[in-house]
Amino acid sequence: MEKTLRETIKELIRKHLKTKKGQVFGQCLTAVGWVGGTLPELYEKDGMVELSMADVAGGGIAVGAALMNSRPIYVIRYQGFNWYNAPMILNYACKSKEIWKRPCPVFIRSIGMEGGIGPVAGSSHHSLYYRMPGIKIVSPMTPGEYKEIYKKFMSEKEVYYVSEHRGAYGNSEEFKNDIDDKKELIIIAISITRFEAEKAKRNLEKKGYKIGIKHVLWLKPFKISPKEVSAIKKSKAGCLILDDDYVDGVANSIGNKLNIKTKKPMYTLGLKDKSAGFSKSTDNLPPQSQDIEKKIINILGEK
Amino acid sequence: MITQKVFLQIFKKASLCRNFEKIAFEQIQKKNIKFPTYLSAGQEFISATVSEMVKTLKIKPLIFGQHRAHSTYLSFGGNINKLIDELLGKKTGCAYGMGGSASIHGKEINMYGHDGHMGTQGPIGVGACFVSRHPTIVFLGDASAEEDYVLGALGWASTKKLPILFVVEDNNLSILTEKKVRRNWEMDAVAKSFNMLGYNIPDDPKVIYKYKKNLFKKPMLLNIRTNRLFWHAGAGQDSDKTFDRYKSLLKKFGEEGKKIDKYYFNKLNGLWKKRLEKQ
């Protein structure tokens, strides 16, 4: 049986600590659950370092460790906590190589989830980092993607923001892009929306729509092949970009870039422009397959 | 106990720093330095003394400075020409012309640059010390020490029993807002409450030097009361009544002091002139 993303991350971290003599920093790492089962049961002597609950200082401590080239992995258990954890990562680690020629490579595991967890902890917040220079942003949802980005991080001297999602930890499948010049519309899906996008695509195809899909691993730098650009140009209605963050961030920025490149319209769907409440009726969830289908039928018209 | 030889050495370093800042002051006025510059005149005995303390212990610590760090850089042996170049915005500067006055660094002296957010050197220095277990000095101002993340970093440094020294260069001012307006507590008391060694002392080299015996044995914080002679940024003076320890010790060292002062002024003047000619 294939390994799940959860097991893959756990195994990579075990190797990072045991073989590469690296460190993992974070809050409540060794508590029950071990961050959704993604950490091996190791302790400070092995490099699993519990920080205090001082979030802003914690981010700075991880940056200091990175300055010593210890390649720390910094775990932020909820992406919403980045409002406190991000300052020294963005203003120091991301600038250090450019200003002082001192690389500060840190691997930030930032974990998204949603559904009944309220206005702060929920969803993804990669857009918070997106506008700043000196950072690479990825959102791996499969075991293969995670292995790829960890390997790349270890071979470079860059700051990596890894936008994870708890909803993907049980996944053991790899995604495949489906893009050619005959698609009416192409879905560009980020983070956890990739699962619902696949569902929506299947349902729409049953109804006769020709829908393409591009799974986005690299948010920054955003990578798109000439073949994909050609497919978008030849499509009837351009792209629908899906995100687990508010659309006024990564989704609209990618949309703008692609619009300039292809002259095709770019639609976006992400979190609604409101705070999430704890109750079901006030929550703010990423687009579900029925939302995606509705939006696409609205763009392409009924068949 | 400080020996006369070490005391003289500290005075020489202070003289280097003071004369550097004196000339930088003129260069700001002449508009040869064209961005915000944070002169450290008045505070130089802190870095001059601390650098001598570690030198006699034969330790080359990691140094995390603050925005007002010219004296820190010079006291620990930073390259003078590179600092001049940095203030002139040249690529040959110690921060490659990117850092300006506030973000200087020096690889050769283990000094890490400051990013301009007050107090970030606290947590970053603690993280570096934790991983490397190398003796580390973090310089803070009395205002940056108030940052919540500095307090979090102090607590963690104490918990992990790191070989670290926090030096608070307490000039009583945040730009021009006095400490008593901002708070009713002192940093040495905060340090003690975190189970660290904490002391509140004047910037008298003989007093500072006494704490050498505790250096890097356990986390320690020295809140050192001092005076900023010039404006927060730029070339100007807030008051002509500010106590000037350099002047007072210059008098104490008599003719030898004057000779040292003149030597550094001439040496630095020459270096500045050369760098300015290369503009």
Side-chain angles (χ1 to χ4, degrees):
Chain A
M1 209 167 122
E2 291 299 312
K3 280 201 170 87
T4 61
L5 177 58
R6 176 183 289 110
E7 290 160 341
T8 305
I9 299 172
K10 191 173 173 177
E11 195 177 289
L12 284 172
I13 289 189
R14 184 185 294 280
K15 273 188 198 156
H16 188 73
L17 297 179
K18 290 289 188 189
T19 316
K20 317 254 183 203
K21 301 287 170 209
Q23 275 109 16
V24 175
F25 289 86
Q27 296 171 344
C28 304
L29 302 178
T30 56
V32 184
W34 297 81
V35 189
T38 59
L39 296 178
E41 293 183 15
L42 298 170
Y43 295 89
E44 187 164 318
K45 64 176 174 39
D46 310 299
M48 189 82 78
V49 184
E50 285 283 3
L51 293 170
S52 77
M53 301 312 284
D55 284 74
V56 187
I61 289 168
V63 168
L67 258 188
M68 299 292 106
N69 202 24
S70 73
R71 301 215 167 243
I73 293 173
Y74 184 44
V75 180
I76 301 172
R77 291 165 302 139
Y78 295 96
Q79 292 211 24
F81 292 178
N82 272 297
W83 292 99
Y84 295 110
N85 285 271
M88 285 171 239
I89 296 167
L90 288 172
N91 205 53
Y92 201 103
C94 292
K95 293 179 179 177
S96 182
K97 197 166 90 171
E98 194 183 1
I99 299 179
W100 303 293
K101 302 193 196 308
R102 283 194 201 262
C104 196
V106 52
F107 186 96
I108 304 144
R109 282 191 59 201
S110 193
I111 303 163
M113 71 177 290
E114 53 263 308
I117 53 168
V120 175
S123 60
S124 299
H125 291 265
H126 33 243
S127 295
L128 182 64
Y129 283 75
Y130 186 75
R131 58 186 287 270
M132 295 300 283
I135 191 156
K136 292 192 170 180
I137 305 176
V138 288
S139 186
M141 293 288 124
T142 74
E145 289 174 353
Y146 211 99
K147 281 186 206 160
E148 177 193 328
I149 56 112
Y150 173 76
K151 197 173 163 195
K152 201 129 178 46
F153 167 75
M154 292 303 283
S155 69
E156 293 178 351
K157 293 178 174 177
E158 307 293 332
V159 180
Y160 269 59
Y161 182 86
V162 184
S163 180
E164 298 179 16
H165 198 289
R166 278 188 187 238
Y169 285 165
N171 178 42
S172 55
E173 309 282 318
E174 296 299 321
F175 285 116
K176 258 184 151 179
N177 291 337
D178 175 20
I179 298 186
D180 59 48
D181 290 354
K182 288 174 190 146
K183 304 295 184 194
E184 292 172 276
L185 180 140
I186 292 151
I187 299 173
I188 296 182
I190 298 167
S191 180
I192 196 70
T193 70
R194 293 162 66 182
F195 295 90
E196 292 294 307
E198 284 285 349
K199 247 193 249 175
K201 176 176 154 38
R202 280 196 300 272
N203 291 340
L204 286 163
E205 280 170 348
K206 278 180 203 160
K207 291 177 186 167
Y209 293 96
K210 289 175 185 159
I211 305 298
I213 190 164
K214 174 179 168 61
H215 289 275
V216 180
L217 170 61
W218 284 89
L219 277 66
K220 188 175 181 175
F222 178 69
K223 294 175 179 175
I224 186 144
S225 69
K227 187 188 156 199
E228 289 164 343
V229 171
S230 159
I232 296 169
K233 277 183 177 169
K234 287 180 179 155
S235 70
K236 186 177 162 190
C239 299
L240 172 63
I241 302 162
L242 304 174
D243 199 0
D244 181 42
D245 199 345
Y246 294 101
V247 291
D248 284 333
V250 173
N252 279 348
S253 294
I254 289 177
N256 181 49
K257 281 177 198 163
L258 288 179
N259 171 260
I260 291 168
K261 238 187 171 100
T262 63
K263 308 277 183 273
K264 283 285 178 183
M266 296 290 147
Y267 304 90
T268 50
L269 259 186
L271 300 185
K272 290 170 199 78
D273 197 18
K274 65 166 206 140
S275 295
F278 279 95
S279 69
K280 212 172 178 183
S281 62
T282 60
D283 215 335
N284 193 0
L285 301 174
Q288 303 298 295
S289 68
Q290 60 271 27
D291 305 320
I292 302 164
E293 288 166 43
K294 202 173 148 192
K295 179 85 178 175
I296 292 176
I297 291 171
N298 197 273
I299 296 166
L300 294 174
E302 288 280 356
K303 284 202 178 175
Chain B
M1 213 24 203
I2 193 167
T3 63
Q4 192 57 24
K5 194 178 156 195
V6 172
F7 192 26
L8 185 65
Q9 200 51 38
I10 292 170
F11 180 77
K12 282 181 182 172
K13 278 190 175 174
S15 183
L16 163 73
C17 299
R18 170 59 62 95
N19 282 294
F20 185 92
E21 299 294 60
K22 218 163 115 181
I23 300 167
F25 187 102
E26 287 168 17
Q27 297 307 326
I28 299 166
Q29 286 185 321
K30 288 180 184 166
K31 301 197 186 314
N32 284 324
I33 300 175
K34 299 180 177 77
F35 40 67
T37 307
Y38 305 91
L39 300 175
S40 53
Q43 305 185 178
E44 54 276 275
F45 277 102
I46 299 177
S47 53
T49 310
V50 173
S51 63
E52 271 308 296
M53 285 155 74
V54 297
K55 193 178 154 193
T56 55
L57 289 170
K58 295 189 169 56
I59 289 171
K60 194 178 173 190
L62 305 180
I63 302 158
F64 289 82
Q66 53 161 337
H67 65 296
R68 197 178 305 287
H70 299 176
S71 290
T72 309
Y73 177 88
L74 293 170
S75 295
F76 282 89
N79 184 300
I80 302 169
N81 283 330
K82 284 185 179 179
L83 180 56
I84 296 172
D85 284 0
E86 189 61 38
L87 296 181
L88 296 175
K90 293 182 181 182
K91 280 187 180 165
T92 45
C94 61
Y96 313 102
M98 287 278 284
S101 168
S103 304
I104 57 175
H105 96 142
K107 276 187 185 168
E108 70 281 9
I109 57 167
N110 280 347
M111 182 176 175
Y112 291 81
H114 183 248
D115 69 340
H117 280 178
M118 311 314 300
T120 54
Q121 67 274 32
I124 295 170
V126 167
C129 183
F130 175 79
V131 164
S132 65
R133 298 287 158 168
H134 193 79
T136 301
I137 305 176
V138 174
F139 287 91
L140 299 153
D142 55 281
S144 61
E146 292 168 13
E147 293 283 5
D148 43 11
Y149 41 84
V150 169
L151 305 179
L154 286 177
W156 203 71
S158 172
T159 304
K160 299 297 171 190
K161 299 182 175 57
L162 300 182
I164 194 163
L165 168 68
F166 295 93
V167 176
V168 181
E169 299 182 317
D170 179 358
N171 61 25
N172 189 42
L173 295 171
S174 172
I175 303 183
L176 276 175
T177 305
E178 286 188 58
K179 215 165 62 180
K180 66 181 178 196
V181 179
R182 307 184 327 251
R183 54 168 145 118
N184 67 349
W185 45 269
E186 291 293 340
M187 279 305 292
D188 61 311
V190 170
K192 281 177 199 154
S193 75
F194 278 132
N195 291 328
M196 293 169 63
L197 299 173
Y199 304 97
N200 192 346
I201 55 174
D203 63 357
D204 180 343
K206 287 183 176 172
V207 177
I208 301 171
Y209 203 80
K210 283 182 192 165
Y211 295 89
K212 190 178 109 173
K213 63 179 186 295
N214 297 325
L215 268 183
F216 309 124
K217 287 181 183 152
K218 63 185 278 191
M220 177 164 73
L221 181 144
L222 296 177
N223 186 83
I224 306 179
R225 299 186 303 278
T226 186
N227 293 288
R228 188 186 79 203
L229 280 194
F230 301 141
W231 283 346
H232 163 67
Q237 238 176 325
D238 296 316
S239 164
D240 54 7
K241 292 190 182 77
T242 309
F243 170 69
D244 183 350
R245 187 169 299 280
Y246 181 74
K247 251 188 196 169
S248 130
L249 286 180
L250 181 65
K251 214 184 258 176
K252 206 168 183 177
F253 277 101
E255 282 310 308
E256 194 179 12
K258 275 186 202 165
K259 229 166 101 180
I260 292 166
D261 185 62
K262 198 175 166 190
Y263 166 77
Y264 281 111
F265 179 78
N266 289 337
K267 178 182 172 176
L268 290 161
N269 215 16
L271 291 177
W272 271 94
K273 266 187 188 159
K274 268 190 195 164
R275 307 316 286 179
L276 280 162
E277 279 164 13
K278 281 193 177 176
Q279 286 259 71

